[in-house]
Amino acid sequence: MELSTLDYSFIIVFFSLVLGIGIYVSKKSGKNSSEFFLSGRTMPWWLLGLSMVATTFSTDTPNLVTDIVRTSGVSGNWVWWCFLLTGMLTVFVYAKLWRKSNVKTDLEFYEMRYGGKPASFLRKFRSIYLGALFNIITMASVTLAAIKIGGIMLGLEPWETVVGAGLITVVFSALGGFKGVVYTDFLLFFVAMAGAIGAAFYLVNIPEVGGIEALIAHENVADKLNILPDFDNTSVLVTMFIIPIAVQWWSSWYPGAEPGGGGYIAQRMLAAKDENHAIGATFFFNIMHYALRPWPWILVALASLVVYPDIASIAEAFPDVADNKLGHDLAYSAMLTKLPSGLLGVVLASLVAAYMSTISTQLNWGSSYIVFDFYKQQIKPDATEKEMVAVGRISTVVLMLLSALLALTLQNAFEVFDLLVTFGAGTGLVFILRWFWWRINAWSEITAMFVSGIISILLVKTNLGEILFNPTTGLLPEWANYPFVVVVTTAIWVAVTLMTKPESDATLQSFYKKIQPGGPGWAKVVANATKDNIEIVNTKEKWSVPSGITAMLLGVTLVYSAMFATGYWIYGETTSALIGTGIALVSGLSLMKVWKGMKEHIL
């Protein structure tokens, strides 16, 4: 496939704008660590919301969605659609708590909520565990998708894609810091949306596919269209819907969908002007991320089943692709090769935009952990602002290099998704309850983190998984893998919590006074403070969690009904589409009423 002059022009202009933004903001971003990692906490909700959406575009996400649709149908996407629940919980319960904490990273929270050496260890260890290990795996997955796109669309060798895509990204990330990331995300959002929608519209209407009606009626596609799984197929129903909706969303830590907030989502909430802007940003992100954006990718994935019905057909069409990179996720890139000149340039620019947005965010977020939570805490407590910015830039380059090397060894996007979800299984409940139950301590989180990781490794690397989950043994069905990790991890960390000493009264009272979490889970702390004549309760602020949970449920209803309605409008199922639209409108109006009451409680 050859690019035209017009295609190259789109890509060159895009690269120039991105680098220009990075250079333009580099001077101010390098002023101090707060500017480099949080942009001085002055960001409006709409800019942060667009940044969150752009970040989660990623190059691996359309590949992942394509893999899921081709193997499990549209309903297979519930493995990640379920994370809307934790997203809405973050919007209406945790966003204001994070912004009130005023920490520089979400890991700084540990030494606010907990005390002593366990808290210090937890903060330092997770700075490397998340900022380096998990972060590198995530970026490697994104880079793997870029490698596949470069191989299919441009005939590039893996190392050529890694060097070409990574170099510009790491340069503007190191120069521009968080402000550069957010400003470029504004541009990247519109480029990525235009590319995704344009590609879907064109590819559904190519002669091989024949338009939306022919696509829906095609024998390779007809059984893949259902948004909900087949309720008569117990195995599919349990693995693709019941476990994600009932267990996965609250129990597992996953980048961008952390229970209770966290990661780069927390970074953006912490950079907001105030609590209302933090809430607005995360709400906008969840609407776009779940209700609207997946459908262009889904349509391309369905169309690919007509053009490339199996992996063999992809291999035949692209014989130069290495065997270890072949998979259903390649179908998305394969379909893009059919785009005409001009649109092809826009789509390639959009894919580059998606890659750069995700990688730049991960780099800045990961290096913030290394600087604030490891270097300053462990290596040099008296580090100057200039030194911290310098370490941030160096760690940005190192993280990029390590993730690129790992990407060259990976094969499949869904494998990485599954690994990350399973590795964090059982830890989510700690992140949710630590704000509202005084008894949770640093050992709770330490235990959950290590137990989840150890069990996941045993399941993958030893025969424990085969012994427990092989149906022929009669012990447990194969789909019980994930719930097993959740149950064991949760049981162990709860037991450890009850067997270890609680945090000191001083630590708990200080946390309560600053955050005002409220609720029955803090009744004992409040009673002890009152007995000692210590004032920690702000009587002007009501406990907003009950109304927050109501708003969460309405928000979930709004987004899911909008997602269903969008799909049904595309499918031409007018009655179902009208019902979904009506539910979305009613839940939206109800949410506005609840939100109006909640705003009165946010000081």
Side-chain angles (χ1 to χ4, degrees):
M1 184 187 73
E2 294 184 3
L3 299 181
S4 68
T5 303
L6 182 60
D7 295 325
Y8 278 117
S9 299
F10 278 123
I11 296 169
I12 291 170
V13 168
F14 171 75
F15 274 133
S16 300
L17 286 171
V18 169
L19 279 175
I21 292 171
I23 294 169
Y24 176 75
V25 303
S26 61
K27 186 175 181 180
K28 188 170 183 180
S29 294
K31 186 176 173 183
N32 57 56
S33 59
S34 179
E35 282 288 343
F36 190 78
F37 292 113
L38 292 171
S39 190
R41 304 184 194 271
T42 58
M43 288 290 178
W45 69 269
W46 57 270
L47 189 55
L48 291 171
L50 285 174
S51 178
M52 291 180 194
V53 179
T55 293
T56 51
F57 250 104
S58 186
T59 44
D60 63 327
T61 311
N63 286 21
L64 172 65
V65 170
T66 300
D67 195 333
I68 291 171
V69 171
R70 286 173 62 90
T71 56
S72 304
V74 174
S75 63
N77 285 285
W78 284 102
V79 297
W80 68 274
W81 281 343
C82 68
F83 288 123
L84 171 66
L85 280 80
T86 192
M88 283 298 174
L89 194 63
T90 296
V91 171
F92 294 111
V93 176
Y94 293 103
K96 72 167 191 167
L97 301 177
W98 277 114
R99 190 59 188 85
K100 285 166 73 173
S101 72
N102 210 37
V103 294
K104 291 180 178 176
T105 72
D106 55 312
L107 298 189
E108 188 180 334
F109 167 90
Y110 288 126
E111 293 188 290
M112 176 188 297
R113 173 61 176 83
Y114 312 126
K117 291 182 179 180
S120 179
F121 165 79
L122 189 57
R123 181 179 179 184
K124 293 167 189 172
F125 182 81
R126 283 184 73 83
S127 68
I128 301 301
Y129 179 74
L130 296 181
L133 178 61
F134 264 64
N135 197 20
I136 287 169
I137 294 173
T138 303
M139 289 192 293
S141 175
V142 176
T143 304
L144 170 65
I147 289 172
K148 294 193 174 190
I149 290 168
I152 287 285
M153 300 188 70
L154 303 174
L156 297 176
E157 293 294 326
W159 70 267
E160 291 176 319
T161 301
V162 167
V163 172
L167 191 59
I168 293 177
T169 306
V170 77
V171 167
F172 96 80
S173 299
L175 286 175
F178 182 74
K179 183 168 287 186
V181 170
V182 173
Y183 282 7
T184 52
D185 278 349
F186 179 77
L187 169 66
L188 301 180
F189 169 82
F190 292 103
V191 173
M193 283 297 294
I197 294 172
F201 181 81
Y202 182 86
L203 292 172
V204 166
N205 290 287
I206 60 176
E208 297 99 307
V209 178
I212 189 68
E213 291 183 4
L215 173 65
I216 291 172
H218 196 278
E219 60 181 357
N220 293 349
V221 175
D223 64 343
K224 304 282 187 181
L225 294 171
N226 290 336
I227 303 174
L228 289 171
D230 181 2
F231 281 71
D232 293 328
N233 187 329
T234 304
S235 178
V236 171
L237 180 64
V238 171
T239 56
M240 292 296 179
F241 188 73
I242 293 178
I243 289 177
I245 290 292
V247 181
Q248 186 173 296
W249 72 269
W250 58 263
S251 63
S252 188
W253 187 98
Y254 183 77
E258 299 86 347
Y264 59 78
I265 299 297
Q267 185 187 34
R268 278 153 177 73
M269 292 188 288
L270 293 169
K273 286 182 179 181
D274 54 37
E275 295 161 32
N276 283 321
H277 280 269
I279 293 169
T282 48
F283 185 52
F284 176 79
F285 159 67
N286 278 280
I287 292 175
M288 290 298 299
H289 184 56
Y290 294 98
L292 302 176
R293 192 179 55 182
W295 284 106
W297 299 331
I298 290 171
L299 287 173
V300 174
L302 292 172
S304 75
L305 286 165
V306 178
V307 182
Y308 304 105
D310 50 33
I311 295 177
S313 60
I314 299 174
E316 183 181 352
F318 302 94
D320 294 332
V321 175
D323 290 341
N324 69 340
K325 301 300 180 188
L326 282 172
H328 283 291
D329 55 344
L330 267 179
Y332 188 81
S333 305
M335 290 296 292
L336 297 184
T337 63
K338 298 184 174 296
L339 295 174
S341 175
L343 180 56
L344 177 60
V346 172
V347 170
L348 273 174
S350 76
L351 292 172
V352 174
Y355 173 82
M356 295 178 72
S357 176
T358 302
I359 293 295
S360 61
T361 289
Q362 296 289 149
L363 288 172
N364 187 265
W365 163 64
S367 62
S368 74
Y369 282 3
I370 292 170
V371 170
F372 289 123
D373 304 301
F374 184 76
Y375 179 76
K376 187 170 175 60
Q377 291 297 111
Q378 181 73 26
I379 307 298
K380 196 173 182 182
D382 59 346
T384 65
E385 291 294 327
K386 282 191 173 181
E387 286 175 330
M388 287 193 287
V389 171
V391 172
R393 285 174 169 159
I394 292 169
S395 60
T396 295
V397 175
V398 172
L399 288 171
M400 184 73 236
L401 178 62
L402 293 175
S403 66
L405 292 173
L406 178 60
L408 296 172
T409 69
L410 297 176
Q411 181 174 353
N412 183 277
F414 189 77
E415 290 174 354
V416 180
F417 173 85
D418 195 47
L419 171 66
L420 290 174
V421 169
T422 304
F423 212 78
T427 62
L429 197 59
V430 182
F431 304 134
I432 290 175
L433 294 181
R434 64 188 181 181
W435 297 87
F436 298 109
W437 186 26
W438 70 276
R439 192 62 181 81
I440 287 180
N441 57 34
W443 290 111
S444 308
E445 293 207 32
I446 292 171
T447 302
M449 178 175 59
F450 279 102
V451 170
S452 176
I454 291 169
I455 295 176
S456 298
I457 291 171
L458 289 173
L459 288 172
V460 173
K461 297 296 184 182
T462 74
N463 66 347
L464 177 61
E466 295 180 10
I467 294 171
L468 290 175
F469 310 121
N470 188 335
T472 59
T473 64
L475 295 178
L476 287 172
E478 191 173 358
W479 53 259
N481 189 328
Y482 182 86
F484 174 78
V485 179
V486 172
V487 170
V488 173
T489 300
T490 303
I492 293 175
W493 77 251
V494 169
V496 169
T497 299
L498 299 176
M499 289 188 294
T500 53
K501 290 183 179 180
E503 300 297 336
S504 68
D505 287 346
T507 298
L508 295 172
Q509 290 169 5
S510 174
F511 176 80
Y512 191 99
K513 186 173 183 178
K514 185 176 183 64
I515 304 299
Q516 297 294 302
W522 288 92
K524 184 173 182 178
V525 174
V526 172
N528 288 343
T530 302
K531 187 171 69 173
D532 296 334
N533 293 319
I534 300 173
E535 192 68 41
I536 64 171
V537 178
N538 185 344
T539 55
K540 295 180 181 179
E541 187 171 358
K542 295 182 180 179
W543 191 42
S544 62
V545 171
S547 56
I549 292 175
T550 301
M552 169 206 166
L553 295 175
L554 288 170
V556 168
T557 304
L558 166 64
V559 175
Y560 278 150
S561 57
M563 182 185 78
F564 274 76
T566 303
Y568 288 134
W569 283 119
I570 292 171
Y571 292 168
E573 298 181 18
T574 306
T575 302
S576 297
L578 287 171
I579 292 172
T581 302
I583 295 172
L585 289 172
V586 171
S587 56
L589 291 172
S590 301
L591 180 60
M592 289 174 62
K593 184 176 180 180
V594 173
W595 171 239
K596 185 178 179 181
M598 286 181 64
K599 285 180 70 175
E600 297 174 0
H601 301 323
I602 300 177
L603 301 180

